[in-house]
């Protein structure tokens, strides 16, 4: 297949691109290479694909309406995986306009490209953040998610609504994936695992929010990619049992689906730190802080729908995943202080 992967220089996008190329797909990778975090890391991810005839990189912003339209028209993709977005819950408190430009305007440009070019399946990144104020655990795709706690979460919920509309109006098969705290080699420098490793090795304090009582359903990158590919290969279909009297948020009469991809096993933040300390063989200096605006105290993925429909359940343990991350981190940055 010929597949467009947006955000191909990103954490998940680069891993997905590697997987698709290895199995023989042709991949067009799109990224705007913005400076939200270290561009050199993004370029290093892309270097993995240099010289591969079945990969081509396009530097383009999702918000470039004409550029996206021209790309779709010229390339004639079979399927699209949209992973490009302005990420980060806390950053959305500082720069809200970035989320509208990329996650809303950019996403409608992707939808329009799919609509006008007979795309067989659009798979796009949503987020566990959409569960917002929900407290019923585990988070289920069948739950109502109308109370986001950050603009980032609201933008991802908006993507789900927009995708459903295009599925309903134009018959475009769409599947949204709610990722739960992804980590692993080539990870994002703005996320806890990366920040903690850098600070611990440099002998600097780490910020431990909610006094370490935070729980996250940490999900290893290989599990995320396996889930994405399995979903991509199973084109979204309508649910014949869907009822307007008792509407299921995870499906529709239109060819539209929503899945969680999470490890289904929350880990307390303090245990993550202890696991990281063991892998790094160095103790952390902890600065205990209250929970931040926009954060939720716990995430926990119900993955029953994913298991039922594509036969996959993430199972990588936090101990194994952290070990693999630390191996990559030491190798990539070379020295124990790991300054970037």
């Amino acid at each position: 297949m010929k597949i467009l992967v947006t955000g191909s220089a990103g954490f998940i996008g680069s891993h997905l691109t590697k997987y698709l190329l290895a199995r023989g797909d042709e991949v067009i990778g799109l990224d705007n290479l913005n400076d939200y975090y270290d561009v050199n890391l993004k370029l290093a991810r892309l270097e993995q694909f240099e010289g591969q005839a079945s990969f081509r990189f396009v530097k383009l912003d999702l918000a470039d309406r004409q550029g996206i339209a021209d790309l779709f028209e010229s390339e004639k993709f079979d399927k699209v995986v949209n992973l490009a977005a302005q990420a980060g819950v806390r950053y959305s408190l500082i720069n809200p306009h970035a989320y509208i430009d990329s996650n809303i305007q950019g996403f409608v440009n992707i939808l329009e490209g799919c609509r006008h070019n007979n795309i067989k399946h659009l798979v796009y990144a949503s987020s566990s953040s959409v569960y917002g104020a929900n407290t019923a655990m585990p988070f289920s795709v069948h739950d109502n998610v109308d109370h986001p706690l950050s603009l980032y979460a609201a933008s991802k919920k908006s993507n789900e609504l927009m995708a459903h509309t295009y599925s309903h109006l134009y018959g475009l098969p769409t599947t949204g994936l709610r990722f739960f705290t992804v980590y692993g080699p080539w990870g994002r420098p703005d996320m806890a695992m990366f920040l903690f490793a850098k600070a611990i090795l440099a002998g600097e304090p780490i910020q431990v929010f909610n006094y370490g009582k935070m729980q996250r359903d940490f999900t290893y990158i290989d599990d995320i990619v396996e889930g994405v590919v399995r979903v991509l290969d199973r084109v979204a279909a309508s649910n014949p049992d869907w009822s307007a009297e008792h509407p299921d948020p995870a499906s529709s009469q239109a060819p539209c689906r929503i899945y969680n991809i999470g490890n289904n096993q929350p880990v307390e933040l303090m245990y993550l730190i202890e696991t990281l300390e063991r892998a790094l063989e160095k103790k952390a200096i902890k600065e205990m802080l209250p929970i931040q605006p926009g954060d939720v105290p716990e995430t926990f993925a119900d993955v029953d729908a994913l298991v039922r429909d594509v036969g996959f359940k993430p199972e990588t343990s936090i101990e194994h995943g952290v070990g693999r991350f630390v191996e990559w981190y030491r190798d990539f940055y070379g020295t124990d202080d790991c300054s970037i």
Side-chain angles (χ1 to χ4, degrees):
M1 293 184 293
K2 187 175 187 178
I3 300 171
L4 171 64
V5 176
T6 74
S8 61
F11 175 28
I12 300 174
S14 60
H15 279 273
L16 176 64
T17 296
K18 186 176 182 179
Y19 187 110
L20 294 174
L21 291 172
R23 77 171 192 175
D25 292 315
E26 179 182 357
V27 176
I28 305 298
L30 178 151
D31 206 291
N32 68 357
L33 298 176
N34 67 31
D35 61 358
Y36 172 64
Y37 62 80
D38 183 19
V39 175
N40 290 322
L41 177 59
K42 298 179 182 183
L43 294 173
R45 291 173 182 144
L46 289 174
E47 284 175 6
Q48 300 175 93
F49 315 125
E50 283 185 357
Q52 297 198 40
S54 53
F55 176 78
R56 186 163 67 83
F57 177 70
V58 176
K59 185 180 179 182
L60 186 64
D61 196 300
L62 289 191
D64 183 344
R65 180 175 172 180
Q66 192 59 53
I68 294 294
D70 291 344
L71 181 69
F72 271 86
E73 175 63 28
S74 63
E75 294 292 347
K76 302 299 182 188
F77 306 111
D78 295 304
K79 297 181 179 181
V80 174
V81 183
N82 184 56
L83 300 173
Q86 179 57 61
V89 169
R90 291 167 195 155
Y91 186 63
S92 68
L93 306 178
I94 301 167
N95 189 2
H97 293 286
Y99 293 78
I100 302 304
D101 294 343
S102 180
N103 301 7
I104 304 298
Q105 182 61 54
F107 191 61
V108 79
N109 291 340
I110 292 293
L111 288 169
E112 280 289 282
C114 292
R115 168 196 172 190
H116 291 293
N117 293 279
N118 302 310
I119 300 301
K120 298 180 179 69
H121 193 191
L122 167 63
V123 175
Y124 62 94
S126 185
S127 168
S128 61
S129 299
V130 301
Y131 289 103
N134 290 26
T135 56
M137 296 291 168
F139 290 151
S140 170
V141 291
H142 306 296
D143 293 341
N144 177 286
V145 288
D146 286 342
H147 299 88
L149 299 182
S150 68
L151 187 64
Y152 170 68
S155 73
K156 289 299 187 178
K157 170 61 177 176
S158 298
N159 287 173
E160 296 179 0
L161 297 173
M162 294 159 72
H164 178 268
T165 302
Y166 272 68
S167 295
H168 170 74
L169 291 175
Y170 309 115
L172 171 66
T174 66
T175 302
L177 301 176
R178 294 173 180 169
F179 299 139
F180 281 68
T181 316
V182 191
Y183 75 100
W186 297 101
R188 278 186 14 223
D190 62 318
M191 296 193 72
M193 193 85 65
F194 211 111
L195 292 169
F196 288 171
K198 180 186 176 186
I200 291 169
L201 288 171
E204 297 172 352
I206 63 171
Q207 294 184 323
V208 183
F209 292 109
N210 201 28
Y211 306 105
K213 296 176 183 176
M214 207 91 80
Q215 292 199 17
R216 289 289 180 270
D217 205 343
F218 291 99
T219 311
Y220 189 61
I221 183 62
D222 289 358
D223 289 333
I224 291 288
V225 170
E226 181 70 27
V228 171
V229 172
R230 291 205 188 198
V231 168
L232 180 66
D233 290 344
R234 184 183 187 274
V235 176
S238 61
N239 178 3
D241 299 322
W242 193 87
S243 166
E245 293 182 1
H246 305 285
D248 172 21
S251 62
S252 173
Q253 290 177 326
C256 178
R257 297 284 172 151
I258 300 288
Y259 296 105
N260 289 332
I261 303 186
N263 211 47
N264 192 232
Q265 190 173 350
V267 172
E268 191 168 81
L269 190 56
M270 289 304 296
Y271 184 75
L272 168 72
I273 294 167
E274 291 166 7
T275 305
L276 194 53
E277 287 174 327
R278 285 193 293 271
L280 292 169
E281 299 180 324
K282 191 170 183 179
K283 284 289 185 181
I285 304 166
K286 305 176 190 70
E287 181 184 359
M288 310 303 280
L289 297 168
I291 195 167
Q292 294 288 283
D295 274 351
V296 296
E298 182 179 4
T299 64
F300 181 5
D302 180 333
V303 294
D304 288 352
L306 186 72
V307 173
R308 180 194 68 222
D309 290 349
V310 302
F312 176 67
K313 182 179 185 293
E315 292 185 337
T316 302
S317 70
I318 193 71
E319 294 82 7
H320 176 77
V322 168
R324 292 295 303 276
F325 168 75
V326 167
E327 287 174 16
W328 168 82
Y329 194 95
R330 287 189 184 279
D331 180 65
F332 186 75
Y333 288 108
T335 60
D336 275 356
D337 67 358
C338 296
S339 299
I340 19 178

